[in-house]
Amino acid sequence: MNSLDTLGYCKRLETVGVPREQAEVHAQMLAEVVAQVATKDDLDALEVRLKEWVKEWVSLYVGEQIQSLKVDMLKWYITLCIAQTSLIIAALRYLPH
């Protein structure tokens, strides 16, 4: 979590001539902004979640596509084996004995 010493920040502004009320508002606004800034822990957690999401997506969608390609390749392989066998049988049948 980001921390900001608002009291110290306010006092530093006052020492350079900023009125107290204005310095307090500056300190409050800066504290709100700093609270919204992502920390290293936030980014690390996001990285872990993103890696898990990518891994899940790849296993789900890419895995399905690979399965589909395997089936298509098997169909082509069987078709080509049958065609090759038919050509060999036809060539042997029409060769002179």
Side-chain angles (χ1 to χ4, degrees), residues 3 24-25 35 49 59-60 69 77-78 81:
S3 62
E24 288 174 357
V25 171
R49 287 195 334 248
S59 67
L60 184 65
L69 289 174
Y77 178 73
I78 291 171
C81 285

Side-chain angles (χ1 to χ4, degrees), residues 9-80:
Y9 181 73
C10 186
K11 287 186 180 196
R12 287 180 67 187
L13 287 175
E14 286 178 0
T15 59
V16 294
V18 177
R20 181 165 183 78
E21 290 178 6
Q22 191 174 2
E24 288 174 357
V25 171
H26 275 274
Q28 290 171 355
M29 294 299 294
L30 187 59
E32 290 175 14
V33 170
V34 168
Q36 294 177 6
V37 173
T39 63
K40 183 168 176 32
D41 292 337
D42 294 336
L43 295 177
D44 289 342
L46 178 63
E47 180 183 12
V48 168
R49 287 195 334 248
L50 185 60
K51 283 181 180 179
E52 290 172 358
W53 179 82
V54 168
K55 189 183 294 184
E56 179 182 326
W57 185 85
V58 166
S59 67
L60 184 65
Y61 296 108
V62 176
E64 288 178 5
Q65 290 179 352
I66 290 173
Q67 281 300 112
S68 175
L69 289 174
K70 283 181 181 178
V71 169
D72 289 344
M73 287 176 61
L74 184 61
K75 287 179 187 176
W76 275 103
Y77 178 73
I78 291 171
T79 303
L80 290 175

